[in-house]
Amino acid sequence: MITQQDKIYSEKEIYRNLHPAVRKWFQDKFDNFTPAQRYAIMDIHQGKNVLISSPTGSGKTLTAFLSIISELTTLADKGELEDKVYCIYISPLKALDNDIEKNLEEPLSEIEEMAKKEGKILGIRKAVRTGDTPQSQRAAMLRKPPHILITTPETLSILLVAPKFREKLSHVKYVIVDEIHSLAENKRGVHLSMSLERLQHLVGSFTRVGLSATVYPLEKVASFLVGYEYGEVRDCLIVDINYLKKLDMEVICPVDDIIAADPDEMNTAMYDLLDDLIQQHKTTLIFTNTRSGTESVVFNLKKRFSDNYHGQNIMAHHSSLSKELRLEAENKLKDGELKVVVSSTSLELGIDIGYIDLVILVSSPKSVSRALQRIGRSGHRLHDKSKGRILVVDRDDLVECSLILKNALEGKIDSINIPTNCLDVLSQHIYGMAIENKWDIDYAYDVIKKSYCYKDLSESDYLSVLSYMAGEYTSLEERYVYAKIWVDYDQNMFGKRGRLARMLYSTNIGTIPDRTAAVVKCAGKVVGRIEEEFMEKLRKGDSFVLGGNIYRFNYARGMSVNVSPASGPPTIPSWFSEQLPLAFDLALDIQRFRANMEGKFEYGRSKEEIMEFIHDYLYVDYNAANSIYHYFREQYLYAQIPSNHKLLVEFYTGFGGRKFVVFHSLFGRRVNDALSRAVAYVIAKKYKRDVMISVSDNGFYLSSEGKIGGLEGFQELNSDNLVDILIKAIDKTETLASRFRHCAGRSLMILRRYKGQEKSVGRQQVKGKILLKFVQELDDNFSILKEARREVIEDYMDVKNAQRVLEWIESGQMEVKQINTKIPSPFAFNLVAQGYLDVLKYEERIEFIKRMHQAIVNEIGG
Amino acid sequence: MKSIEIKKIMSGVEIVDLALKIEDYLIISDLHLGYEQSLNSEGFMIPKFQFQRILERLEEIMEFLHSNSSPVSKIIINGDLKHEFGKISRQEWKEVNKLLVYLKEHFEEIILIKGNHDNFTPYITSINEIRVEESFSIGRFQMLHGHKIPENLDELEEGTLIIGHEHPCIGLRSGERVEKIKCFLRGEFHEKNLIVMPSFNFVTEGSDILHEQLLSPFLKNLEKNQWDDFEVYGVENFEVFHFGRIKQIISASQRFV
């Protein structure tokens, strides 16, 4: 059962249970225990599973480690400390692993010192083990295993198949998962949850401790941490110490009137404001959402204020930069040498970056938890205030960020989405399990279902993965090449195949696709990495920004890009990085606010009353309230205000008679992606016409040369047929093709590292398509294809919430209202201004070829 | 049975699906048997599937020609029968042999032309007593693979050269959508007629001659105006689509976008 921990222990109780040396060490260092420590230390001591959620700087890691250190000290004191691993600490980042090792150094060596004075030697060891650990250190670890092993999810799953080291793990008592929220929401977490079950199967039982930032619902994350036993969630206590850290958070707009300002004016005002804020503080951390945004902020600050910012005091930090450059930025931050650092998302997690007194978010963080996580990076200790400023530059951003502010201050957080039943990750684990030993098919199924992510795994999906792994899609005589495992259905057993199994597994597991593989070299030195799609766009002579510097593209050879330093404005302004989608819960809150506002206008409230309402409701200043008031008033007077009760569908005709249908569906881009593609597919089929679609967080539009029938198409969708239609709609998309390639990689149908060679992503794309074509013709239910579709509609898009929206319409909770406009209404404006995203075609390949042939022949004839 | 459109590409030469027919010779090119195993060795664990398709396709073509009372009795493979450059893979041993046995059953004469991938092909074919030639002529037509230009080019009496190697296809683009379709090319080279054949394999369409770099030295060194005048015959689903000259396709498609 998952229960909220409400018992707070007294200091005396906690001290009584700590080893005297540990107690003394703690008393020498700290005045008292933090709340998190008073709630959690005793329970960990008693071997209970605990999820601790509290802001950065609240002593979370020490909370987790203190009773473990005490326990190890007690054992060592009694001479009972054995050469085996007692505790495994897992974090998503190698950098965080290294930080933790450093942080453990102090207590361990100081406690050792104290013991030495009493003539004792404790000898408690800790060590980091990741993909970067050299062979010599690995060998040393086998001879003398660390008592505390610090690692990553991927390395853990490799250790599970290492025949000798596996032995050393078989008595683990504690597992700590740090930054668990950031793992749980993607396939790395799915992978980890299965590794933990495999570890549990090896060990029997151990205590699980999860450390999480502010997320909702904690019960879900707790279930993810502890897993299930016989269909029931294992026990877990939740320690929730949030909002103790005070928030000083504001939404600011660089100009007085956001509606009237032109883009240049806005841009200048924004950089002036940024400079002001940075100069008023000691060290500022700026978050943009994209790598290109990061590059552009660094570039512009340097250009506009060359006296204030130069190579020595401003740096960019994002995942495309080389490891060395990122490390340099982190170290300079720690040493207080940087005035400002600009990051995309890479500095969100808890690596040690020293003292930051201001966090600025340059664009909407798109979710409340992300806003809190980012702003929480400022203010060092628990009782420091976290100071954050969100800069908004357009009207939709203003409304969105104001709601983020409201929800952050009121502690209302968006719910986390944890992917489930991922068949590609399952393939890896089944391989790993088979390498460990032979398994009974049913017994292995039971073990798999203990993971939160597979508790509802259907037997047919499980068997289809076994069948794939056994190479049953190939002829019997060829199977030895493709089969990773053997399955004996008579004996109901499976096991590994091939002598290279362990090597293949160890070099190919993991869930992060190789998508950003091009290395950028300047005069032989690696300066960063760029996405492969971006590399393909580059032509000789183009210049672009990377790491705040401008480079000219010379040539690309394989996945290595040769550049030389350049000056002047970059010719390629940005690269496409996936934008962060707006959280669904937050989107609904914005819709509720819209409903409130409509009510005010309906009842004829005065401007003062409405301004007062906005000011109180959203905690924004009067300038912001004024802009919001005018924005909504325009929409109200010109059209109608869409809301959570009313889905507004706006028809208008653009240049050249082009028809647009705008759906004011403010549900976030993931839901809108699903809805728009499904509608477009229905229309394309029905009217045999190409449909252009464009999607944003606030809605989507469909556009076509003739009558679209957008509403009729939409009305054919319902919560029952949505999934089927959507799967057909994505069938020929690039999104499915690239996700399929990633899934095939995770399922080990594409081996990234095989026979000593690492492959370029470019070649993978072409060959991935050959594979997709083959699989599509082979079996429509092939497990990898099924997983790729699931990933697209559930993880990339959000089909589940899209179904909820359709249910609201079916139940009458939300009405669909049609209006016609001559020019797009204010709320539609941003959406219509953005270009189209994709075109849905109704034609089969042969029809397409015939049409194109005819068109070319006509052109030639005419 | 499939109905196949036969299209004359020049006097004496007809397009029959992805093959050419001259007199009672059937000509196919660039089979690349063993490609899957080569993909496997790069880590793409795709099973073998194209041998079966090649055989089926060949059967469909022959059945049609037979019923159309224009049967063929000889076959020419215009280079790159197999895929690996420097070795013979297991798959290649097996499939090349199987194919030759099949061809022997159906044709009176089998002529193999050496492609750049065929360094080791003679080892397999010698067992079947089939020779591998650098080139082969039927009257005024000469078949050669096309990865190098013969030194005695200007002394050749044949007025028409037929090459493979290039795997030509054209990418048709409309909006976001691109479809590649295999094609034959016909143009002029050193005062001779030149025909370029598409590949007779079903792994990929080939390389887009409108947008990608050309491979064959016959095409790479052409003057732009000569290249622009090449005629394009697309082939899809047993139908032939005459697209006109390259320059016309380019200018027409620019007007679409």
Side-chain angles (χ1 to χ4, degrees):
Chain A
M1 219 170 59
I2 310 287
T3 31
Q4 199 77 27
Q5 164 66 304
D6 42 23
K7 184 163 180 207
I8 185 152
Y9 292 88
S10 69
E11 306 221 329
K12 238 167 87 189
E13 275 176 287
I14 304 173
Y15 279 137
R16 199 184 309 136
N17 282 287
L18 292 179
H19 184 277
V22 177
R23 178 169 51 205
K24 179 151 189 327
W25 174 83
F26 190 87
Q27 281 168 331
D28 287 351
K29 287 273 158 189
F30 303 96
D31 298 337
N32 46 32
F33 290 108
T34 66
Q37 289 164 347
R38 289 181 59 190
Y39 276 113
I41 288 176
M42 285 297 289
D43 293 305
I44 299 172
H45 179 73
Q46 287 156 13
K48 290 180 186 157
N49 298 329
V50 182
L51 174 68
I52 304 164
S53 168
S54 65
T56 323
S58 58
K60 242 184 308 189
T61 19
L62 192 58
T63 309
F65 273 113
L66 200 63
S67 57
I68 297 169
I69 293 174
S70 170
E71 164 109 10
L72 292 177
T73 309
T74 306
L75 285 173
D77 198 4
K78 287 195 272 184
E80 290 171 5
L81 194 64
E82 294 176 42
D83 278 347
K84 61 191 185 192
V85 177
Y86 287 85
C87 169
I88 304 177
Y89 166 93
I90 302 157
S91 91
L93 298 174
K94 291 173 194 167
L96 195 49
D97 280 354
N98 293 331
D99 278 353
I100 291 295
E101 199 206 3
K102 266 182 247 153
N103 294 345
L104 282 177
E105 181 61 36
E106 191 182 282
L108 288 181
S109 64
E110 288 176 6
I111 292 166
E112 186 79 55
E113 270 312 301
M114 284 184 221
K116 209 189 248 172
K117 282 179 195 151
E118 294 176 26
K120 289 177 193 157
I121 292 170
L122 299 175
I124 300 170
R125 294 184 299 267
K126 45 140 181 63
V128 174
R129 179 148 178 170
T130 65
D132 295 344
T133 310
Q135 183 53 39
S136 59
Q137 283 181 27
R138 295 177 191 208
M141 273 182 221
L142 193 58
R143 285 193 302 273
K144 282 224 171 286
H147 302 111
I148 299 171
L149 174 71
I150 299 160
T151 188
T152 59
E154 290 72 22
T155 301
L156 173 65
S157 68
I158 293 170
L159 291 176
L160 282 170
V161 299
K164 292 192 198 114
F165 203 83
R166 180 179 161 79
E167 275 305 301
K168 310 289 180 197
L169 296 180
S170 60
H171 295 90
V172 161
K173 290 190 72 176
Y174 305 95
V175 171
I176 301 171
V177 184
D178 203 353
E179 304 278 2
I180 187 169
H181 60 281
S182 80
L183 288 167
E185 64 190 5
N186 58 47
K187 285 190 173 178
R188 285 186 85 192
V190 177
H191 188 263
L192 174 64
S193 85
M194 256 316 291
S195 292
L196 291 180
E197 291 314 324
R198 284 167 61 193
L199 182 66
Q200 181 111 7
H201 183 257
L202 170 70
V203 176
S205 176
F206 52 81
T207 301
R208 302 186 189 205
V209 180
L211 306 177
S212 170
T214 314
V215 285
Y216 176 83
L218 282 172
E219 289 70 21
K220 197 163 163 181
V221 180
S223 311
F224 168 80
L225 169 69
V226 296
Y228 284 66
E229 196 79 59
Y230 305 111
E232 290 288 324
V233 66
R234 294 189 183 107
D235 290 340
C236 186
L237 289 169
I238 295 177
V239 173
D240 184 3
I241 317 278
N242 282 304
Y243 325 119
L244 283 178
K245 206 161 170 176
K246 295 231 168 44
L247 266 181
D248 167 8
M249 183 173 162
E250 278 173 29
V251 171
I252 32 181
C253 177
V255 294
D256 292 344
D257 188 346
I258 202 166
I259 301 173
D262 70 60
D264 273 352
E265 207 178 304
M266 180 64 88
N267 226 11
T268 306
M270 191 189 85
Y271 281 103
D272 287 347
L273 179 60
L274 268 182
D275 178 53
D276 280 349
L277 287 167
I278 296 165
Q279 293 305 324
Q280 286 160 20
H281 293 81
K282 191 175 167 294
T283 311
T284 302
L285 167 57
I286 300 176
F287 282 104
T288 65
N289 289 345
T290 59
R291 277 165 262 190
S292 58
T294 298
E295 296 293 359
S296 141
V297 168
V298 173
F299 176 78
N300 274 293
L301 280 175
K302 275 188 186 170
K303 199 179 88 182
R304 288 167 193 254
F305 308 97
S306 51
D307 291 345
N308 291 346
Y309 312 102
H310 45 79
Q312 300 309 310
N313 68 359
I314 181 169
M315 280 187 87
H317 189 289
H318 59 69
S319 53
S320 291
L321 292 174
S322 70
K323 205 166 86 182
E324 292 72 29
L325 277 174
R326 271 181 289 157
L327 207 63
E328 188 189 333
E330 288 159 25
N331 287 333
K332 279 185 152 181
L333 267 178
K334 267 183 264 189
D335 299 340
E337 287 173 28
L338 289 185
K339 186 78 193 157
V340 54
V341 65
V342 191
S343 169
S344 53
T345 54
S346 55
L347 284 176
E348 276 173 10
L349 294 184
I351 43 174
D352 187 6
I353 49 171
Y355 183 75
I356 300 282
D357 55 349
L358 176 68
V359 170
I360 303 175
L361 312 185
V362 163
S363 29
S364 167
K366 296 285 171 190
S367 84
V368 182
S369 38
R370 179 167 255 118
L372 288 174
Q373 174 95 6
R374 288 176 172 183
I375 292 170
R377 298 307 315 248
S378 72
H380 212 32
R381 290 171 309 271
L382 182 60
H383 298 293
D384 283 352
K385 262 189 182 179
S386 281
K387 188 167 182 182
R389 296 289 177 265
I390 308 181
L391 263 53
V392 293
V393 293
D394 84 36
R395 302 175 292 182
D396 288 327
D397 254 11
L398 173 61
V399 177
E400 187 175 303
C401 292
S402 302
L403 259 302
I404 289 176
L405 176 67
K406 174 186 171 66
N407 285 357
L409 295 175
E410 293 177 359
K412 197 160 173 256
I413 302 156
D414 335 282
S415 50
I416 185 171
N417 175 48
I418 302 179
T420 55
N421 298 327
C422 308
L423 303 183
D424 51 354
V425 178
L426 183 62
S427 306
Q428 281 187 16
H429 279 289
I430 286 179
Y431 196 26
M433 289 166 78
I435 293 167
E436 287 168 13
N437 47 259
K438 288 187 225 170
W439 288 80
D440 178 89
I441 292 177
D442 297 325
Y443 182 55
Y445 183 41
D446 285 343
V447 169
I448 290 162
K449 285 175 66 162
K450 290 180 186 204
S451 150
Y452 172 86
C453 301
Y454 293 103
K455 65 178 167 32
D456 301 319
L457 177 71
S458 74
E459 191 162 11
S460 66
D461 279 348
Y462 170 59
L463 292 176
S464 81
V465 172
L466 278 185
S467 161
Y468 154 67
M469 289 300 286
E472 286 169 15
Y473 58 99
T474 59
S475 68
L476 209 52
E477 60 197 283
E478 296 292 341
R479 200 161 292 170
Y480 74 98
V481 181
Y482 306 96
K484 307 260 179 330
I485 63 170
W486 53 262
V487 178
D488 182 336
Y489 293 99
D490 293 334
Q491 298 289 319
N492 206 40
M493 300 289 283
F494 71 86
K496 70 153 185 178
R497 255 180 109 139
R499 278 171 301 157
L500 293 175
R502 183 168 292 115
M503 198 272 286
L504 276 182
Y505 176 83
S506 304
T507 48
N508 284 288
I509 64 126
T511 58
I512 307 167
D514 297 345
R515 53 143 61 109
T516 57
V519 182
V520 181
K521 283 184 183 170
C522 184
K525 196 177 154 230
V526 176
V527 289
R529 283 166 178 264
I530 55 173
E531 281 155 68
E532 194 235 346
E533 292 93 333
F534 181 66
M535 183 183 80
E536 279 181 2
K537 296 251 161 195
L538 290 172
R539 294 288 169 267
K540 197 171 159 62
D542 280 344
S543 58
F544 61 99
V545 186
L546 182 65
N549 296 306
I550 302 168
Y551 298 101
R552 184 180 309 105
F553 175 77
N554 297 326
Y555 59 85
R557 193 151 295 154
M559 288 311 275
S560 171
V561 176
N562 181 291
V563 297
S564 42
S567 55
T571 56
I572 306 272
S574 65
W575 59 77
F576 35 102
S577 177
E578 289 190 344
Q579 288 177 334
L580 296 171
L582 180 68
F584 185 68
D585 300 310
L586 179 60
L588 293 186
D589 283 332
I590 301 173
Q591 296 227 42
R592 284 189 197 102
F593 173 70
R594 284 180 166 186
N596 265 325
M597 288 293 285
E598 191 189 28
K600 306 280 173 210
F601 287 115
E602 289 283 304
Y603 288 106
R605 298 279 183 256
S606 71
K607 180 177 177 184
E608 286 65 36
E609 280 175 290
I610 298 178
M611 290 272 291
E612 197 58 41
F613 162 74
I614 300 171
H615 173 67
D616 284 349
Y617 189 84
L618 294 178
Y619 307 93
V620 294
D621 63 24
Y622 283 95
N623 262 349
N626 189 43
S627 297
I628 294 176
Y629 170 80
H630 282 292
Y631 187 30
F632 275 74
R633 185 162 178 273
E634 275 177 27
Q635 176 72 19
Y636 177 75
L637 293 178
Y638 182 71
Q640 294 187 37
I641 296 180
S643 69
N644 57 332
H645 306 302
K646 179 162 67 187
L647 173 60
L648 195 62
V649 182
E650 180 175 343
F651 286 72
Y652 93 98
T653 306
F655 290 115
R658 201 170 175 91
K659 307 276 188 219
F660 286 81
V661 187
V662 181
F663 289 76
H664 290 263
S665 52
L666 201 168
F667 299 112
R669 216 186 50 236
R670 291 174 61 222
V671 167
N672 285 337
D673 220 342
L675 289 176
S676 62
R677 279 173 195 278
V679 186
Y681 180 81
V682 170
I683 297 169
K685 277 273 166 234
K686 196 166 170 174
Y687 298 97
K688 294 226 175 289
R689 185 169 285 130
D690 298 348
V691 183
M692 272 183 184
I693 55 182
S694 184
V695 176
S696 81
D697 284 322
N698 289 11
F700 63 89
Y701 74 69
L702 308 173
S703 158
S704 175
E705 269 159 18
K707 175 180 158 45
I708 311 182
L711 206 51
E712 293 91 324
F714 186 70
Q715 274 150 357
E716 279 187 30
L717 287 186
N718 59 52
S719 50
D720 288 330
N721 66 15
L722 179 65
V723 170
D724 288 344
I725 292 175
L726 192 53
I727 281 178
K728 286 190 195 121
I730 61 167
D731 200 43
K732 291 192 172 66
T733 58
E734 284 299 312
T735 309
L736 182 72
S738 75
R739 297 280 164 155
F740 173 81
R741 180 164 57 81
H742 298 159
C743 291
R746 291 189 207 100
S747 305
L748 311 174
M749 197 172 191
I750 298 174
L751 298 166
R752 287 165 292 173
R753 275 159 282 276
Y754 186 55
K755 298 195 171 165
Q757 48 174 319
E758 202 161 327
K759 281 165 297 298
S760 80
V761 181
R763 294 172 72 85
Q764 284 193 32
Q765 278 188 335
V766 176
K767 290 165 186 177
K769 276 191 186 152
I770 297 174
L771 200 59
L772 174 60
K773 210 170 114 191
F774 167 78
V775 167
Q776 275 172 331
E777 284 171 24
L778 175 79
D779 175 6
D780 204 42
N781 268 315
F782 199 71
S783 66
I784 303 173
L785 183 56
K786 198 172 167 184
E787 174 57 24
R789 288 177 181 147
R790 190 209 61 77
E791 190 180 312
V792 172
I793 71 170
E794 288 184 15
D795 301 347
Y796 176 69
M797 298 178 189
D798 182 357
V799 73
K800 286 181 180 159
N801 280 322
Q803 276 174 318
R804 274 173 72 190
V805 170
L806 293 176
E807 279 164 16
W808 293 334
I809 294 170
E810 285 154 22
S811 71
Q813 209 178 320
M814 179 183 272
E815 63 166 336
V816 178
K817 196 115 188 185
Q818 180 183 342
I819 56 163
N820 296 298
T821 55
K822 288 217 167 58
I823 50 166
S825 70
F827 281 11
F829 202 77
N830 268 347
L831 179 59
V832 174
Q834 108 186 12
Y836 69 91
L837 176 82
D838 202 358
V839 185
L840 240 88
K841 300 282 181 179
Y842 71 89
E843 291 163 311
E844 293 299 324
R845 179 178 153 88
I846 187 72
E847 291 174 337
F848 173 81
I849 290 168
K850 282 184 178 163
R851 181 170 64 84
M852 291 301 291
H853 176 241
Q854 199 52 52
I856 290 170
V857 168
N858 290 346
E859 276 291 328
I860 296 168
Chain B
M1 194 188 61
K2 282 277 184 323
S3 154
I4 299 179
E5 181 188 358
I6 294 187
K7 183 126 189 161
K8 193 179 276 178
I9 187 168
M10 61 186 287
S11 169
V13 189
E14 289 166 324
I15 296 175
V16 188
D17 189 37
L18 297 168
L20 287 178
K21 182 176 175 292
I22 300 175
E23 296 170 11
D24 65 342
Y25 286 90
L26 188 70
I27 308 157
I28 57 177
S29 186
D30 295 280
L31 277 64
H32 288 264
L33 295 178
Y35 186 58
E36 297 95 319
Q37 189 173 343
S38 158
L39 280 175
N40 287 175
S41 68
E42 291 179 40
F44 291 84
M45 305 314 280
I46 189 166
K48 300 167 182 58
F49 68 100
Q50 77 144 339
F51 182 75
Q52 204 50 43
R53 297 223 189 138
I54 287 174
L55 234 51
E56 282 165 12
R57 193 80 165 216
L58 210 48
E59 244 164 41
E60 275 170 322
I61 291 171
M62 281 162 8
E63 223 176 285
F64 173 79
L65 289 175
H66 193 79
S67 72
N68 201 37
S69 45
S70 52
V72 284
S73 61
K74 299 160 192 159
I75 186 159
I76 302 170
I77 293 170
N78 202 3
D80 287 357
L81 174 61
K82 66 184 234 24
H83 184 72
E84 292 284 1
F85 292 96
K87 63 176 182 191
I88 303 167
S89 72
R90 267 180 61 101
Q91 186 190 3
E92 290 175 351
W93 268 116
K94 252 168 78 176
E95 291 183 357
V96 169
N97 272 313
K98 257 163 78 178
L99 182 76
L100 293 177
V101 168
Y102 173 87
L103 294 180
K104 274 187 168 174
E105 279 170 21
H106 293 80
F107 294 92
E108 288 167 15
E109 198 182 343
I110 303 165
I111 295 131
L112 298 180
I113 290 166
K114 189 174 173 188
N116 54 321
H117 287 252
D118 287 320
N119 296 325
F120 286 76
T121 304
Y123 291 98
I124 318 179
T125 53
S126 63
I127 300 166
N128 297 282
E129 295 168 343
I130 296 169
R131 285 199 307 139
V132 179
E133 315 277 353
E134 286 295 327
S135 64
F136 181 81
S137 297
I138 312 169
R140 55 200 162 89
F141 303 104
Q142 180 174 96
M143 267 58 65
L144 68 169
H145 183 59
H147 57 297
K148 56 182 185 207
I149 298 173
E151 282 163 20
N152 62 344
L153 183 78
D154 296 327
E155 298 156 27
L156 291 181
E157 286 175 7
E158 293 85 348
T160 299
L161 302 177
I162 299 176
I163 63 169
H165 187 60
E166 185 67 36
H167 299 221
C169 74
I170 54 168
L172 299 174
R173 183 187 299 266
S174 171
E176 294 281 285
R177 185 170 185 178
V178 182
E179 295 281 359
K180 285 178 162 185
I181 117 165
K182 290 186 187 240
C183 63
F184 288 88
L185 304 173
R186 198 201 75 204
E188 276 183 26
F189 180 83
H190 282 234
E191 290 164 9
K192 290 183 191 300
N193 295 314
L194 181 69
I195 295 176
V196 188
M197 303 181 64
S199 64
F200 202 82
N201 76 48
F202 304 95
V203 179
T204 62
E205 305 303 334
S207 67
D208 184 346
I209 52 144
L210 300 178
H211 302 106
E212 291 169 43
Q213 224 153 25
L214 296 167
L215 282 175
S216 168
F218 281 87
L219 304 179
K220 264 202 292 210
N221 303 318
L222 284 173
E223 294 295 324
K224 189 175 180 309
N225 60 334
Q226 273 182 309
W227 170 242
D228 280 350
D229 275 341
F230 268 63
E231 300 262 355
V232 177
Y233 297 82
V235 179
E236 172 72 15
N237 203 23
F238 305 96
E239 267 183 82
V240 181
F241 298 90
H242 184 203
F243 279 99
R245 296 177 196 279
I246 285 177
K247 64 178 175 203
Q248 291 171 318
I249 303 176
I250 290 175
S251 81
S253 52
Q254 270 162 357
R255 260 170 279 172
F256 298 148
V257 198

